[in-house]
Amino acid sequence: MAQYGEYGGPIKKILGSQSITAPSGSNLSTTITHEDQTGNIGDSTVTMIITTAGNTYVEIGSAATTSSFALTSSDTLICKIRSQSVLGVWGNGGTRVVTVKKVIC
């Protein structure tokens, strides 16, 4: 039987949490990997629960721009990304902290 986590879905394993500082007015691309990765895991995906402490643009798989997905401090973004892919973040109106919780659902 699956456990239900803070976000209401079945969470089988928490891979860790990562904080990314999104610079004001420019992109920062961060590689997302499995916390327990060993060797080549190929096409494995990581489910991410993304929150931010302010207005931030987020781009899954490439660099963020002002045309990317806008995320505010009251939003939660749940998405999947291939392991070894990048998550682009762009601070809007100041430097923002983005929290990425990596889980397996």
Side-chain angles (χ1 to χ4, degrees):
M1 184 164 179
Q3 293 179 329
Y4 284 82
E6 175 183 356
Y7 298 96
I11 296 176
K12 295 177 183 174
K13 184 174 184 180
I14 297 173
L15 298 174
S17 182
Q18 181 176 354
S19 292
I20 304 169
T21 301
S24 179
S26 65
N27 174 67
L28 174 69
S29 292
T30 302
T31 301
I32 303 298
T33 61
H34 284 284
E35 296 295 319
D36 58 355
Q37 178 178 345
T38 56
N40 182 5
I41 59 173
D43 289 334
S44 295
T45 59
V46 178
T47 302
M48 301 180 297
I49 303 169
I50 303 171
T51 57
T52 182
N55 296 338
T56 307
Y57 295 106
V58 177
E59 189 71 39
I60 299 164
S62 64
T65 67
T66 55
S67 298
S68 298
F69 185 79
L71 194 64
T72 69
S73 60
S74 60
D75 296 328
T76 299
L77 173 63
I78 300 173
C79 58
K80 283 187 176 183
I81 191 170
R82 283 186 53 193
S83 183
Q84 302 296 330
S85 292
V86 298
L87 177 69
V89 293
W90 178 298
N92 181 16
T95 300
R96 308 297 185 193
V97 175
V98 177
T99 302
V100 178
K101 291 186 179 184
K102 296 173 268 187
V103 300
I104 297 175
C105 295

